[in-house]
Amino acid sequence: MKMREQMMAALGADARARAPAEPIPEHLRALPPDRVVDLDVREDIRRGHEPFAAISQAASALPEGHVLRVRAPFEPAPLYAVLGRRGLVHHAERLGEEDWRVWFVHGEGGAATAAPPSARGAVAVEDGLVTIDVRGLEPPEPMVRTISALDSLPRGATLVQINERIPQFLLPKLQDLGFEYEAHRADDGTVRLHIRHRQKEKP
């Protein structure tokens, strides 16, 4: 299945059938260009590249009073809960048949950001060990949920991702984000990926 179809499946509905959110507030449209960060991931998705790491990094670096505008070939609904947990609210607009632009801005009481509860993707925390079970989730949800959980992982703690397979697309992202990992296959065939902050090299 191609990346676009995988991400469409993760939304749970055909993005073309989604209605746009509330109109973009005028005060956001009036922002000067130097306070707008534009990120166009349409071509990345068409080429089969996973854009979440780039979006996550841009959101993390977004200053107060600035807006991040993500351009995508469909409504990137899985981002809403992930970036919402970082205090960003969203406003979506459909520009064309396969052309969406979503504005993310630091909390202003805008669009809803909470995701509906789900048994799949649940996170458990106990004694410095964070466990996230992504079995049964369609791409890109396993990567989205795992990187989101890593955002708040304390140093010295370990995140364990439970998966049906080794997440090949996630591994290089972990390295880029400063994490190290070990993969272990259990007797039941599941894979447990142990992820922790990379140790700083001693001078």
Side-chain angles (χ1 to χ4, degrees), residues 131-139 141-143 146 160-171 183-186 188-195:
T131 302
I132 179 169
D133 190 340
V134 300
R135 291 174 293 178
L137 294 177
E138 290 283 347
E141 280 292 286
M143 181 182 291
T146 300
V160 179
Q161 186 209 70
I162 303 176
N163 206 329
E164 295 105 335
R165 61 189 69 85
I166 295 177
Q168 298 291 348
F169 291 109
L170 174 64
L171 302 185
H184 305 276
R185 190 172 295 277
D188 60 2
T190 59
V191 172
R192 282 167 169 75
L193 188 67
H194 293 246
I195 309 168

Side-chain angles (χ1 to χ4, degrees), residues 15-148:
R16 291 173 297 180
R18 290 178 176 269
E22 294 296 321
I24 307 302
E26 287 302 321
H27 72 276
L28 292 183
R29 292 193 183 278
L31 284 174
D34 61 353
R35 291 174 61 186
V36 178
V37 178
D38 281 307
L39 184 59
D40 191 335
V41 299
R42 290 175 295 175
E43 191 60 31
D44 287 339
I45 292 174
R46 292 187 183 111
R47 292 178 178 177
H49 298 161
E50 169 56 60
F52 178 72
I55 297 172
S56 178
Q57 290 171 1
S60 297
L62 188 69
E64 290 283 349
H66 289 60
V67 63
L68 170 64
R69 292 193 305 200
V70 176
R71 196 82 170 265
F74 51 84
E75 186 180 7
L79 289 176
Y80 298 164
V82 174
L83 299 188
R85 286 192 287 271
R86 303 186 194 181
L88 297 175
V89 297
H90 65 274
H91 302 275
E93 56 180 343
R94 186 178 181 182
L95 304 178
E97 182 66 17
E98 294 188 347
D99 190 4
W100 285 77
R101 183 168 59 191
V102 183
W103 305 55
F104 292 96
V105 62
H106 290 282
E108 55 168 26
T113 58
S118 171
R120 297 182 301 174
V123 178
V125 183
E126 184 177 356
D127 296 331
L129 191 68
V130 181
T131 302
I132 179 169
D133 190 340
V134 300
R135 291 174 293 178
L137 294 177
E138 290 283 347
E141 280 292 286
M143 181 182 291
V144 169
R145 291 175 184 261
T146 300
I147 293 180
S148 176

